[in-house]
């Protein structure tokens, strides 16, 4: 399964990055502090050894020549201690004094590089950190005026500081190991936790793509994954709703199409199976078949309109003159009104314009006026009025009839697809149950509103609210 591999890949990639970062951190932790302590020790050694050597050299500079006696005197005065080896040489590098009791170098020449350098007038210091000790040496010249009398050389072998450095390194290493273990535990916990949550997410999505629209993901917390799950659940809600609407629509549509088809089948069978059927009866049956075909055509046309509505471009609005439109539709419905013995009264003021999609507006007004005639009573009236709202931004268009009206509990449903208050009556009057659904879809897509008030047996008023057309430019500066 590719999705699982993906999560694993992501999880392991995060783990790899975290491991590399942890290793780098531990590496830095092990390297830098030890390095700093080492430099500190070496610096303090340099300061200490050179200071001692210079003190002795300064003491000796008072003598005209260097010999065992005056050096011994100076050594006593200075009391330099015994833990370091101290050599004093003459200006040829011959050792005059050596504080080591055993294997003394006194009386011998020494070619130690530090002493050679000190005899040429330089202060010298060297330090080396070996396995067990800091081995340091310092040498300074002993001057008398401009002449070099000799040199002082101090050698130090310090195991205590080396021990200290080693134990510091050991401590840091132990702390690093502890941190590594803690880091590893956190890493494993993270991988398990992250893995569990992503698996929940993937399972939910997989469930949904398999067609289980009830599937919801329960991920607690407030992190990004919880947010993804929340958004997914919202999406699932919407999908579920859309799916339900789609199913209902398909089943309603097929039902609606089946009824006229069944009638046509029945009528044509009657023609075919009735022996010696008269010409008049055939004409009658054909008339009925024709009506059913008209009905089928109406339904399919309206279904097509509904599907087209999903693709209405948002910028199709233009200024439309309401009075012209109502007059035109009135003309088209004149025959219907005449048949139903209903009077049409157009009270829309001249020149009142709305800003709306022309086709959409036509559909809205046509369907409402057609219904107002269709669900009226002989001798009834349909009044069409329109007025601008006070602030001039909206126009209210009212289509009022004195017809059969509707009960209050019907009103919330009349905009649903295929909903009819009185199925038989609607059918008898050529209704499809799609007219108001089309009206409401147009208004929803293009930003209008519709309200309905109705009293059973007295009549119905539909009020459509539309954006008014902008006044001409002369109003602006
Ligand atoms: P139909 O094609 O059946 O007219 P509509 O969607 O246009 O479908 O209307 C839905 C139902 O609402 C109708 O079947 C009818 O019962 C009711 N209806 C619509 N307009 C009116 C009206 N002006 N007066 C009374 N009932 C109406």
């Amino acid at each position: 399964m590719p999705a699982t591999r993906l999560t694993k890949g992501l999880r392991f990639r995060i783990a790899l990055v975290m491991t590399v970062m942890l290793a780098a951190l531990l590496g830095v932790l092990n390297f830098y502090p030890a390095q700093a302590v080492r430099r500190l020790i070496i610096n303090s050694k340099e300061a200490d050894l050179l200071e001692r050597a210079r003190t002795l050299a300064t003491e000796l500079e008072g003598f005209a020549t260097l010999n065992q006696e005056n050096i011994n005197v100076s050594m006593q005065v200075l009391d330099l201690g015994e833990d370091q080896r101290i050599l004093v040489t003459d200006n040829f590098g011959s050792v005059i004094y050596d504080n080591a009791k055993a294997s003394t170098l006194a009386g011998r020449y020494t070619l130690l590089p530090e002493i050679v350098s000190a005899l040429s007038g330089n202060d010298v210091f060297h330090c080396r950190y070996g396995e067990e000790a800091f081995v340091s040496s310092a040498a300074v010249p002993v001057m008398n005026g401009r002449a070099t009398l000799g040199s002082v050389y101090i050698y130090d072998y310090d195991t205590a500081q080396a021990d200290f450095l080693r134990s510091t390194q050991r401590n840091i290493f132990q702390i690093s190991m502890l941190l590594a273990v803690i880091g590893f535990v956190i890493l494993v916990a993270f991988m398990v936790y992250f893995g569990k949550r992503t698996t929940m997410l993937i399972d939910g999505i997989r469930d949904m793509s398999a067609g289980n629209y009830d599937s919801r993901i329960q991920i607690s917390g407030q992190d990004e994954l919880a947010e993804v799950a929340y958004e997914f659940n919202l999406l699932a809600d919407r999908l579920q709703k859309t799916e339900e609407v789609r199913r209902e629509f398909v089943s309603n549509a097929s039902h609606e199409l089946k009824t006229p088809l069944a009638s046509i089948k029945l009528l044509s069978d009657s023609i075919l199976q009735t022996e010696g059927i008269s010409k008049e009866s055939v004409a009658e049956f054909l008339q009925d078949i024709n009506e059913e075909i008209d009905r089928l055509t109406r339904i399919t046309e309206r279904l097509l309109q509904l599907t087209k509505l999903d693709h209405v471009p948002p910028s199709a609005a233009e200024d439309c003159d309401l009075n012209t439109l109502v007059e035109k539709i009135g003309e088209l419905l004149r025959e219907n009104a005449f048949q139903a013995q209903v009077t049409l009264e157009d009270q829309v003021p001249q020149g009142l314009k709305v800003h709306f999609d022309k086709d959409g507006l036509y559909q809205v007004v046509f369907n409402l006026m057609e219904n107002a005639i269709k669900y009226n009573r002989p001798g009834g009236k349909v009044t069409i009025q329109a007025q601008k709202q006070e602030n001039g931004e909206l126009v209210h268009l009212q289509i009022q009839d004195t017809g059969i009206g509707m009960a209050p509990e019907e009103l919330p449903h009349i905009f649903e697809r295929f909903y009819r208050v009185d199925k038989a009556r609607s059918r008898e009057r050529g209704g499809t149950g799609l007219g108001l659904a089309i009206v409401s879809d147009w208004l929803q897509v293009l930003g209008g509103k519709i309200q309905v008030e109705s009293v059973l047996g007295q009549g119905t008023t539909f009020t459509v609210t539309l954006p008014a057309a902008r006044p001409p430019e002369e109003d602006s500066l």
Side-chain angles (χ1 to χ4, degrees), residues 61 63-64 91 118-122 141-150:
E61 271 162 17
F63 301 110
N91 58 338
L119 288 175
S120 349
N122 305 313
V142 180
M143 307 295 288
N144 188 339
R146 300 193 66 186
T148 309
L149 292 182

Side-chain angles (χ1 to χ4, degrees), residues 46-338:
E46 180 175 12
D48 176 51
L49 257 60
L50 280 176
E51 151 105 33
R52 280 166 186 253
R54 278 184 200 126
T55 314
L56 180 56
T58 315
E59 194 63 34
L60 294 174
E61 271 162 17
F63 301 110
T65 53
L66 295 178
N67 55 43
Q68 190 91 36
E69 262 167 53
N70 39 34
I71 294 169
N72 272 337
V73 173
S74 301
M75 286 302 289
Q76 270 160 21
V77 173
L78 291 174
D79 188 21
L80 287 172
E82 306 221 327
D83 25 344
Q84 291 158 342
R85 179 96 175 255
I86 300 174
L87 301 180
V88 180
T89 71
D90 65 9
N91 58 338
F92 298 110
S94 165
V95 177
I96 306 167
Y97 172 85
D98 183 350
N99 69 344
K101 302 279 176 295
S103 66
T104 176
L105 288 172
R108 296 212 219 142
Y109 278 98
T110 166
L111 290 173
L112 285 164
E114 291 89 339
I115 291 178
V116 175
S117 183
L119 288 175
S120 349
N122 305 313
D123 289 1
V124 194
F125 174 78
H126 282 149
C127 182
R128 174 168 61 80
Y129 171 65
E131 277 294 288
E132 300 197 331
F134 279 94
V135 183
S136 354
S137 53
V140 297
V142 180
M143 307 295 288
N144 188 339
R146 300 193 66 186
T148 309
L149 292 182
S151 70
V152 172
Y153 171 86
I154 304 183
Y155 172 85
D156 179 69
Y157 189 84
D158 188 345
T159 51
Q161 299 278 44
D163 279 350
F164 169 71
L165 181 63
R166 261 201 310 279
S167 82
T168 309
Q169 268 172 326
R170 213 171 23 244
N171 286 345
I172 292 174
F173 182 72
Q174 280 162 357
I175 292 170
S176 306
M177 282 299 109
L178 189 70
L179 284 179
V181 171
I182 294 172
F184 184 71
V185 170
I186 292 175
L187 202 67
V188 170
F190 164 78
M191 281 179 72
V192 171
Y193 174 75
F194 184 73
K196 232 191 218 163
R197 291 163 80 79
T198 42
T199 309
M200 277 162 84
L201 199 63
I202 288 162
D203 284 351
I205 293 171
R206 216 175 265 154
D207 228 22
M208 170 80 72
S209 60
N212 181 5
Y213 292 97
D214 298 337
S215 169
R216 295 290 180 277
I217 303 170
Q218 303 303 336
I219 292 186
S220 54
Q222 299 196 322
D223 60 4
E224 286 84 349
L225 284 180
E227 205 164 312
V228 171
Y230 174 75
E231 292 295 334
F232 172 84
N233 290 342
L234 285 186
L235 184 72
D237 285 346
R238 277 200 295 274
L239 270 178
Q240 194 174 21
K241 218 164 170 193
T242 313
E243 179 60 14
E244 274 162 20
V245 169
R246 188 189 68 81
R247 272 197 200 144
E248 199 185 310
F249 180 71
V250 170
S251 100
N252 283 340
S254 26
H255 179 78
E256 290 299 320
L257 294 171
K258 238 167 71 187
T259 323
L261 281 173
S263 304
I264 293 172
K265 172 82 179 142
L266 200 78
L267 291 163
S268 57
D269 277 354
S270 308
I271 299 175
L272 291 172
Q273 284 159 16
T274 316
E275 269 182 43
I277 188 167
S278 69
K279 225 174 171 191
E280 290 75 39
S281 303
V282 172
E284 216 173 285
F285 279 132
L286 282 178
Q287 175 66 30
D288 290 348
I289 289 178
N290 206 30
E291 269 170 28
E292 290 302 329
I293 290 173
D294 282 349
R295 195 174 152 64
L296 268 180
T297 314
R298 263 196 316 275
I299 296 176
T300 41
E301 265 171 8
R302 293 196 156 188
L303 284 176
L304 264 175
Q305 260 182 36
L306 276 173
T307 34
K308 266 190 208 149
L309 265 173
D310 297 338
H311 312 286
V312 174
S315 58
E318 58 187 297
D319 289 355
C320 312
D321 189 287
L322 268 184
N323 191 273
T324 315
L325 183 79
V326 170
E327 260 179 24
K328 192 171 144 194
I329 296 174
E331 204 55 44
L332 286 170
L333 292 172
R334 203 187 352 197
E335 182 56 28
N336 296 31
F338 177 74

Side-chain angles (χ1 to χ4, degrees), residues 302 371-372 374-375 401 404-406 414 419-422 426 431-436 460 462:
R302 293 196 156 188
N371 279 353
K374 205 159 60 176
Y375 301 105
D401 66 61
I404 57 172
M406 287 173 277
I414 56 172
Y419 188 83
R420 279 164 289 191
V421 175
D422 181 345
S426 159
T432 57
L434 291 172
L436 288 182
T460 307
F462 282 96

Side-chain angles (χ1 to χ4, degrees), residues 332-459:
L332 286 170
L333 292 172
R334 203 187 352 197
E335 182 56 28
N336 296 31
F338 177 74
Q339 295 287 338
Q341 299 170 40
V342 170
T343 336
L344 288 181
E345 204 171 310
D346 177 3
Q347 293 183 1
V348 176
Q350 293 280 338
L352 181 59
K353 288 185 178 169
V354 293
H355 191 71
F356 210 71
D357 180 281
K358 212 168 193 155
D359 290 342
L361 186 63
Y362 177 87
Q363 293 292 341
V364 169
V365 181
F366 186 93
N367 286 342
L368 293 175
M369 282 175 65
E370 192 191 31
N371 279 353
I373 297 168
K374 205 159 60 176
Y375 301 105
N376 221 309
R377 57 179 79 246
K381 203 161 91 174
V382 174
T383 314
I384 302 113
Q385 293 169 300
Q387 63 277 330
K388 237 184 198 181
Q389 204 188 36
E390 261 169 40
N391 62 13
E393 285 185 2
L394 299 170
V395 169
H396 298 300
L397 171 71
Q398 280 165 330
I399 292 124
Q400 192 174 23
D401 66 61
T402 55
I404 57 172
M406 287 173 277
E409 64 271 18
E410 303 289 353
L411 300 183
H413 304 290
I414 56 172
F415 296 101
E416 290 167 12
R417 292 166 181 195
F418 298 110
Y419 188 83
R420 279 164 289 191
V421 175
D422 181 345
K423 237 181 161 125
R425 188 164 189 155
S426 159
R427 250 182 85 76
E428 176 201 310
R429 296 176 186 214
T432 57
L434 291 172
L436 288 182
I438 291 173
V439 168
S440 134
D441 274 14
W442 268 113
L443 292 171
Q444 210 168 0
V445 169
L446 297 166
K449 273 188 195 146
I450 186 158
Q451 276 177 317
V452 57
E453 284 166 56
S454 190
V455 180
L456 199 58
Q458 285 188 24

